[in-house]
Amino acid sequence: MEIEQLKSTAVAVRRDILRMVAAVNSGHPGGSLGCTDFLVALYFDVMNLKRDADGKPVFDMDGRDEDLFFLSNGHISPVFYSVLARAGYFPVSELATFRKLDSRLQGHPTTAEHLPGVRIASGSLGQGLSVASGAAYSKKLNGDKSHVYVLMGDGEQQEGQIWEAAQFAPNKKLGNLTAIIDLNHAQIDGTTDNVNSNRDLAAKYRAFGWFVDEMEGNDIEDVIRTLKKAQENPEVPTMILMHTEMGFGVEYMVGNYKWHGTAPNADQLTQALNGLPLSIGVTDY
Amino acid sequence: MKKYEYTEKKDTRSGFGAGIAELGRSNPNVVALTADLAGSLKLDTFIKENPERFVQCGIAEANMIGVSAGLTIGGHIPFATTFANFATGRVYDQIRQSVAYSNKNVKICASHAGLTLGEDGATHQILEDLGMMKMLPNMTVINPCDYNQTKAATLAIADHVGPVYLRFGRPVIPVFTPADQKFEIGKAWTVNEGKDVSIFCTGHLVWEAIKAGEILAEEGIEADIINIHTIKPLDEEAILASVKKTGCAVSAEEHMINGGLGDSVAQVLARNYPAPLEYIGVHDTFGESATPDQLMQKYGLTADKIVEQVKKAIARK
């Protein structure tokens, strides 16, 4: 997809995120906004997805011969849902049901409601890297050449299971796995440095045997370039430290960890949406 | 009364090993995983015959559960193996979210369950696993009684789509069920029929229940002995049919009485057909180091104790 189109899609996704969390006065806008450019680049450009004759993505749980994405930091479900809907997995209008009774769009993603595009429940942190490693292993057993992506938070790096998986993936030569850490330096209780510093993540992952790269997560072109490079390591998994700004795209939210899990009120929503004008031909849900 | 005899004693974990070896030949989707306990789980034959479908995870059980969940995507049937304690309590949240809630076709296969692990002591003797696993929605929980039944259960769970917890153990015990049995998940097996008391037993306690039945018969008490190998889904019909006939019951399991088979039976009776129920199980305490036989004696998981509880239950009718 053209860069301009990707950028206008990202604006629409950011508007979805803000309207979704504001409508139920709950959810996690900060990390969602920070990861918007990454997920738009991934779903609208980088990943090879199974599609029908009309180019619409077709979902099946096994996902053979197509690239897979797993969201480990499930609390940024708003951006995941918006990107899945706008990519064509389910109607964009369904975003209005987010976090409401009987919705397929649960607070944190789940397979229990059979929402197309979701392959694992996430929310309790630290599990996605293991799951993605298993899916990558499964592809290797099947002789399937496609790729597996997983996104994690930087606060999430405090979970012990991450480091079990960090040992596993390089030892099993899972070169078809690319993991991305959303390095926004913020978590619920404050900055990651203050809460429980990750120190030098690049050095840690390198020591575990990963190919470590970095990218600017709010620069779509850099995201695409870096993700494509990651596919070139046939026997070594890639860990990308993705520099993002929490709340990117909404001036008053940028860099403020208080927006990790707080929804904007009506005035704040209006202010935020005014700063994110839709391109011609793109509409809100 | 049917007489049960045995010619050999074997461990149930070897029944699992034989089962998964057979699956290695018959089902190309089966993948075996372990967390540094391949020998204890009797995976040797499977590994030798299918090295590419064996995943050694090292001492990292949480990751093993997550990897198993991921392996199902693409059509594999992962059998994640370790000791029962590390297969459940240690990784409850990983099982809850990535396996049970996500409804993944993962088989959690747990050896060294209960007191009969023996000398390693309480850190390794989990007595709460059946309770934890049966509380998880989507989870099927199976606790077979001997080598042959464990092997048959291992084969059966590969054909069942959905998460399963399969529990077995370390000590050698009599092999008394047929080698060619077909294992039906959720269908209780009537070991012996009687009119005076129902004995609902599972795992290693089934043989003890059979011996208790023989002692009781000498005193003129006829026990209806039912092997509940599937703790969940529970064969409520079989339980109710038996208690309607006998009017009282005893449950017997190598597990904490809180949350185990006995509690499941109690719930069925309380809701449908209240009747006296006595428990054989461990009473709100951890285990300790000793030989399996010594521990089963000390914690009252024996035929003699079942006989005592039967008399109590009958007296309360």
Side-chain angles (χ1 to χ4, degrees), chain A:
Chain A
M1 198 181 260
E2 295 293 320
I3 291 297
E4 285 315 310
Q5 258 181 297
L6 293 171
K7 284 183 180 170
S8 72
T9 303
V11 169
V13 168
R14 286 195 161 92
R15 292 177 65 94
D16 289 345
I17 293 166
L18 290 160
R19 295 175 66 234
M20 285 162 76
V21 298
V24 288
N25 193 28
S26 75
H28 297 75
S32 294
L33 292 164
C35 291
T36 296
D37 304 300
F38 161 71
L39 271 163
V40 167
L42 192 67
Y43 272 87
F44 289 86
D45 190 275
V46 176
M47 284 206 295
N48 173 33
L49 302 170
K50 213 172 280 172
R51 294 177 192 278
D52 63 16
D54 302 327
K56 216 178 120 192
V58 182
F59 179 74
D60 65 69
M61 187 54 81
D62 269 355
R64 293 192 198 213
D65 301 314
E66 66 172 329
D67 294 336
L68 304 179
F69 170 73
F70 294 94
L71 179 68
S72 189
N73 48 334
H75 55 273
I76 66 163
S77 55
V79 63
F80 190 29
Y81 293 148
S82 169
V83 167
L84 286 176
R86 289 188 178 274
Y89 282 98
F90 56 87
V92 174
S93 59
E94 202 171 334
L95 296 174
T97 69
F98 175 61
R99 286 188 171 229
K100 291 180 181 166
L101 191 65
D102 297 328
S103 172
R104 297 197 292 180
L105 279 59
Q106 292 290 297
H108 294 79
T110 175
T111 57
E113 312 300 331
H114 307 289
L115 186 69
V118 181
R119 288 193 167 85
I120 196 80
S122 60
S124 176
L125 294 170
Q127 303 186 27
L129 190 58
S130 301
V131 174
S133 298
Y137 205 109
S138 192
K139 282 194 179 296
K140 289 189 92 167
L141 286 174
N142 286 337
D144 172 345
K145 300 292 178 208
S146 51
H147 208 82
V148 177
Y149 297 89
V150 56
L151 175 64
M152 301 178 280
D154 53 359
E156 189 178 8
Q157 300 304 303
Q158 292 155 6
E159 290 281 7
Q161 187 183 348
I162 297 265
W163 301 97
E164 295 186 6
Q167 282 189 303
F168 180 86
N171 287 340
K172 302 301 178 196
K173 298 186 165 49
L174 301 178
N176 56 345
L177 173 68
T178 295
I180 297 98
I181 299 173
D182 175 21
L183 210 62
N184 63 14
H185 304 286
Q187 57 192 106
I188 297 184
D189 272 359
T191 65
T192 48
D193 281 350
N194 281 335
V195 173
N196 192 10
S197 176
N198 288 316
R199 296 179 186 257
D200 192 343
L201 280 175
K204 285 180 179 171
Y205 278 104
R206 239 174 243 128
F208 278 73
W210 293 72
F211 170 72
V212 178
D213 209 345
E214 304 200 25
M215 67 186 179
E216 291 304 321
N218 297 123
D219 175 344
I220 287 183
E221 286 166 278
D222 193 42
V223 169
I224 292 171
R225 200 166 40 237
T226 314
L227 289 179
K228 287 191 171 162
K229 193 165 63 174
Q231 298 171 347
E232 291 165 12
N233 292 284
E235 293 219 317
V236 181
T238 297
M239 180 65 63
I240 301 175
L241 306 184
M242 178 170 78
H243 302 280
T244 66
E245 294 262 29
M246 177 174 276
F248 191 87
V250 179
E251 213 174 327
Y252 63 84
M253 288 189 182
V254 171
N256 185 348
Y257 72 82
K258 293 215 177 340
W259 291 104
H260 170 94
T262 310
N265 63 28
D267 289 343
Q268 289 165 332
L269 177 64
T270 307
Q271 193 190 335
L273 294 178
N274 286 341
L276 292 164
L278 283 169
S279 304
I280 294 160
V282 183
T283 53
D284 284 329
Y285 68 81

Side-chain angles (χ1 to χ4, degrees), chain A residues 61-64 68 70 106 108-113 119-125 127 129-131 133-135 137-139 141-142 161 164-165 168 172, chain B residues 29 31 52-57 59-76 90 93-95 97-99 101-104:
Chain A
M61 187 54 81
D62 269 355
R64 293 192 198 213
L68 304 179
F70 294 94
Q106 292 290 297
H108 294 79
T110 175
T111 57
E113 312 300 331
R119 288 193 167 85
I120 196 80
S122 60
S124 176
L125 294 170
Q127 303 186 27
L129 190 58
S130 301
V131 174
S133 298
Y137 205 109
S138 192
K139 282 194 179 296
L141 286 174
N142 286 337
Q161 187 183 348
E164 295 186 6
F168 180 86
K172 302 301 178 196
Chain B
N29 294 322
V31 176
E52 75 292 348
R53 283 193 278 137
F54 168 64
V55 186
Q56 173 60 268
C57 295
I59 309 167
E61 294 83 5
N63 184 56
M64 176 170 72
I65 298 298
V67 167
S68 299
L71 274 165
T72 64
I73 297 164
H76 292 103
R90 189 179 177 91
D93 184 51
Q94 283 78 15
I95 295 174
Q97 176 171 287
S98 292
V99 177
Y101 186 39
S102 295
N103 204 9
K104 295 300 181 200

